[in-house]
Amino acid sequence: MRNKNFFTFLVLFMSLSLLLIGCSNNTSTNNNETDKSKEGSDASQEVVKKEGKDITIAVADNFISMDPHDTNDTLSYSAQKTMLEGLVGFDKEMNVIPVLAEEYTANEDATEFTFKLREGIVFHDGEPFNAEAVKANVDRLADPANNLKRHSLFAIVKETQVVDDYTVKVVLSEPFGAMINNFAHPAAMMLSPKALETYGKDVSQHPVGTGQYVFEDWKPGDHLKVKKNESYWNGAPNADSITFKPTPENGARVAMLQTGEADFIYPVPSEQASSINGKDGVMVENSPSIIVRYMAMNTLKKPFDDKRVRQAINYAVNKEAFVKVVMNGYSSVLDSIIAPNTQFYSKQTPYEFNLEKAKELLKEAGYENGFEATVWGSNNSSSIKGMEFMQQQLAQIGIKLEVVPMEAGTMSEKIWSVENPEDAELELYYGGWSPSTGDADWGIRPLLGGKDAFPPKSYNTAYYNSEEANNLIAEALSTADPDKRKASYEKVQKLLWDEAPWTFLSVDDTMAGKKNYLEGIYLLPDGSLSIENLEIKQ
């Protein structure tokens, strides 16, 4: 049943692939800016004093849910990860590491994944963490009747078997070599079975996990607070509490860090990164991410049902200017559906900035005089800046764009409450995506994987459906052979690039600011927060 040689090969291949891809040439204008950022954050700056051990983290948006199985935003996962843990997780380089499982193996066909669990761990409500608890969580995710946002990550789970109290086997309906990455995704974090039974869908407001911190209270729009788990299985954490403060306005978030009202903030607005770094005990840290930034076009609506219009928009947007103006150099031009250090990335030829080509395509499509459209996006300063840039760029070819910023919960409701695609009001959506499994599958399938990925099932805000693309995605999923998966993903990236369901913009840098008395807190390449090794120097 267990084939350690195969599994070792599988994990080594994934790790090596991520490492090699991460070393690829980055043609961004951000290289000098990155060096500047890190020059100012060395140990020469005097460590400022921290009173007490209560930490405040200011973030750009409101949290939406504390149920990892029903969450579709990376920000909410950052708060959840202080309280909840999975069988496996990711280290700083997105390599899979053991967490609640002390070891894990797979059979040769990659259809059976067996986890040996750590013993003696309990949930915050006193319930034991064991194989039955794992089964309850995996079965919940795998059941389509539960209508969970992260079901697609576990849709191929056929059965969860309790081998003994601390051994569980997950059987898949078909081979899937990247399945261990799905288990490392924060969607697979474990909730107390008692909490699931007690609260049902309302567990999103009552998270009960095994993590370093215990849920205390959540007032949406104001704060979310967790407190130290004195009985944490791997030793009590260094901080007494962590309070997350949603702060959409960039200036206010930066001011909180400068004055000490916040100990850590993210994202740091790129336009202020250099001016605050190295002053008042502030350190700004930035690194290349796997977060892609784009504007999705609803391909079911005119005029975006015409590929020529979609390509015209890509030609009309100066991507280098977007990187410089909107991202202040802290990003690189997106040259595929997925970022360079995502597994199975395949570079495409970027759409050059060519207004004449854009106008020619619009004329061919019957829109010589342009048209009017509406773009939705978050109401934080950076998103508004990005949408206004798009508005200015598209005005050059006669497209009048209305910018509509929305609070996170409002936008989520307007997009993911629509059951019938024809009823969707969405025309254009400005946003980003982080494939938090580190694999091409989760960077492509949820976003452009046909009708099965339309809202509310998944995140295909372009409402894009191509039989050829769907077949290639299915082909890549049907094998554990990395060479075959690579070939399929190369083809689908080329196809989607030509089809242009998005305006392809940039790959973000992760941007965080902290007081220099903090150590061991950072953003992973997927943009989520890691606090596992948080320490306060006093």
Side-chain angles (χ1 to χ4, degrees):
M1 290 291 185
R2 296 184 179 186
N3 188 321
K4 294 186 178 181
N5 289 335
F6 169 79
F7 192 80
T8 300
F9 163 77
L10 181 65
V11 173
L12 284 174
F13 172 81
M14 290 176 180
S15 301
L16 182 60
S17 298
L18 287 169
L19 177 62
L20 291 175
I21 294 170
C23 292
S24 64
N25 182 42
N26 186 333
T27 59
S28 165
T29 58
N30 72 335
N31 292 335
N32 291 334
E33 293 291 345
T34 301
D35 293 343
K36 288 178 186 176
S37 173
K38 292 184 177 178
E39 282 173 8
S41 58
D42 60 22
S44 62
Q45 187 183 182
E46 182 179 353
V47 176
V48 295
K49 184 174 177 57
K50 168 68 176 174
E51 297 292 341
K53 289 194 171 185
D54 298 300
I55 298 298
T56 297
I57 298 175
V59 297
D61 291 296
N62 292 322
F63 300 112
I64 296 173
S65 173
M66 289 299 112
D67 178 356
H69 308 163
D70 199 35
T71 292
N72 64 359
D73 68 295
T74 302
L75 179 62
S76 292
Y77 278 132
S78 291
Q80 294 169 22
K81 285 165 65 180
T82 65
M83 302 172 279
L84 312 174
E85 298 171 304
L87 301 178
V88 291
F90 290 115
D91 67 11
K92 199 169 186 177
E93 283 74 43
M94 297 295 286
N95 298 312
V96 178
I97 56 172
V99 184
L100 293 176
E102 58 186 13
E103 63 180 65
Y104 39 91
T105 55
N107 68 346
E108 188 171 357
D109 294 331
T111 56
E112 295 180 358
F113 290 77
T114 303
F115 299 88
K116 182 66 178 175
L117 309 180
R118 298 185 192 275
E119 299 185 20
I121 297 176
V122 297
F123 288 97
H124 299 152
D125 59 5
E127 289 292 297
F129 170 74
N130 53 27
E132 290 289 353
V134 174
K135 177 176 171 58
N137 279 266
V138 176
D139 286 355
R140 180 179 186 244
L141 273 162
D143 186 353
N146 290 326
N147 293 315
L148 297 168
K149 292 184 175 69
R150 293 304 194 187
H151 163 69
S152 60
L153 279 170
F154 292 85
I156 60 172
V157 171
K158 180 181 178 182
E159 183 183 7
T160 310
Q161 299 175 356
V162 173
V163 178
D164 58 43
D165 284 351
Y166 294 99
T167 309
V168 63
K169 179 188 294 183
V170 179
V171 181
L172 309 184
S173 59
E174 57 191 55
F176 186 34
M179 192 63 194
I180 197 64
N181 288 57
N182 286 14
F183 276 106
H185 190 287
M189 292 189 294
M190 300 284 120
L191 289 163
S192 162
K194 181 179 178 181
L196 289 172
E197 182 179 350
T198 301
Y199 299 113
K201 290 286 282 187
D202 289 337
V203 76
S204 61
Q205 284 83 47
H206 304 277
V208 180
T210 59
Q212 292 179 309
Y213 297 88
V214 179
F215 177 74
E216 183 162 306
D217 72 294
W218 177 21
K219 185 177 180 181
D222 184 73
H223 74 275
L224 184 149
K225 185 175 183 179
V226 298
K227 60 183 180 181
K228 177 192 290 191
N229 177 8
E230 297 283 3
S231 304
Y232 181 58
W233 61 270
N234 201 25
N238 188 247
D240 290 338
S241 71
I242 299 175
T243 300
F244 292 90
K245 298 280 291 184
T247 312
E249 206 282 312
N250 282 344
R253 201 160 59 251
V254 167
M256 289 175 69
L257 181 63
Q258 291 174 309
T259 62
E261 185 182 349
D263 307 278
F264 187 94
I265 69 170
Y266 74 100
V268 169
S270 54
E271 65 271 16
Q272 297 185 51
S274 296
S275 64
I276 67 171
N277 189 41
K279 302 172 184 175
D280 304 313
V282 170
M283 298 169 62
V284 175
E285 298 179 338
N286 68 291
S287 301
S289 78
I290 57 174
I291 303 168
V292 299
R293 192 148 301 281
Y294 59 90
M295 184 175 72
M297 296 174 264
N298 187 340
T299 58
L300 295 182
K301 286 185 179 292
K302 290 184 178 299
F304 308 111
D305 59 342
D306 192 318
K307 182 174 77 171
R308 293 169 297 186
V309 172
R310 303 194 299 267
Q311 289 182 335
I313 289 175
N314 270 287
Y315 282 116
V317 177
N318 187 330
K319 315 299 172 38
E320 295 287 352
F322 179 87
V323 166
K324 293 176 182 177
V325 174
V326 178
M327 309 305 291
N328 288 276
Y330 290 93
S331 68
S332 56
V333 173
L334 179 61
D335 57 12
S336 187
I337 293 290
I338 54 179
N341 49 353
T342 304
Q343 192 176 10
F344 302 122
Y345 154 84
S346 177
K347 178 180 172 64
Q348 308 300 311
T349 302
Y351 286 86
E352 63 179 342
F353 177 53
N354 189 331
L355 291 177
E356 292 307 312
K357 178 71 172 176
K359 291 175 181 177
E360 178 184 322
L361 285 167
L362 279 186
K363 184 176 180 179
E364 287 179 15
Y367 297 95
E368 183 176 5
N369 298 318
F371 53 86
E372 296 181 2
T374 301
V375 58
W376 294 357
S378 296
N379 66 342
N380 61 65
S381 303
S382 297
S383 292
I384 293 171
K385 184 178 181 181
M387 288 188 287
E388 289 178 345
F389 178 87
M390 299 300 290
Q391 182 184 53
Q392 179 272 327
Q393 293 282 287
L394 297 187
Q396 299 175 97
I397 58 171
I399 298 176
K400 297 179 181 179
L401 206 59
E402 180 187 357
V403 172
V404 182
M406 296 185 193
E407 186 272 330
T410 302
M411 187 164 62
S412 179
E413 173 69 17
K414 286 184 74 69
I415 294 175
W416 280 281
S417 66
V418 178
E419 297 287 342
N420 186 347
E422 285 72 29
D423 294 335
E425 297 177 25
L426 177 68
E427 292 182 310
L428 299 169
Y429 168 70
Y430 176 87
W433 179 261
S434 170
S436 300
T437 65
D439 186 88
D441 168 60
W442 199 243
I444 299 173
R445 181 165 53 96
L447 298 168
L448 297 163
K451 292 181 179 179
D452 288 342
F454 285 3
K457 294 180 182 179
S458 201
Y459 318 104
N460 186 354
T461 50
Y463 288 94
Y464 177 78
N465 184 36
S466 160
E467 184 177 354
E468 184 179 358
N470 296 344
N471 288 339
L472 287 168
I473 292 169
E475 187 176 278
L477 286 173
S478 67
T479 178
D481 186 322
D483 291 332
K484 292 179 180 178
R485 296 189 72 216
K486 181 176 183 289
S488 297
Y489 283 128
E490 283 181 350
K491 291 176 184 176
V492 78
Q493 286 173 76
K494 186 177 187 299
L495 170 67
L496 292 171
W497 192 256
D498 178 68
E499 285 282 291
W502 296 348
T503 309
F504 306 104
L505 297 174
S506 69
V507 179
D508 292 3
D509 276 8
T510 57
M511 298 284 292
K514 68 179 183 180
K515 288 295 193 180
N516 59 9
Y517 48 72
L518 291 184
E519 291 184 346
I521 179 172
Y522 52 83
L523 298 178
L524 292 173
D526 67 354
S528 65
L529 181 67
S530 174
I531 52 85
E532 284 85 354
N533 300 307
L534 171 65
E535 290 188 16
I536 305 168
K537 293 186 291 185
Q538 290 184 316

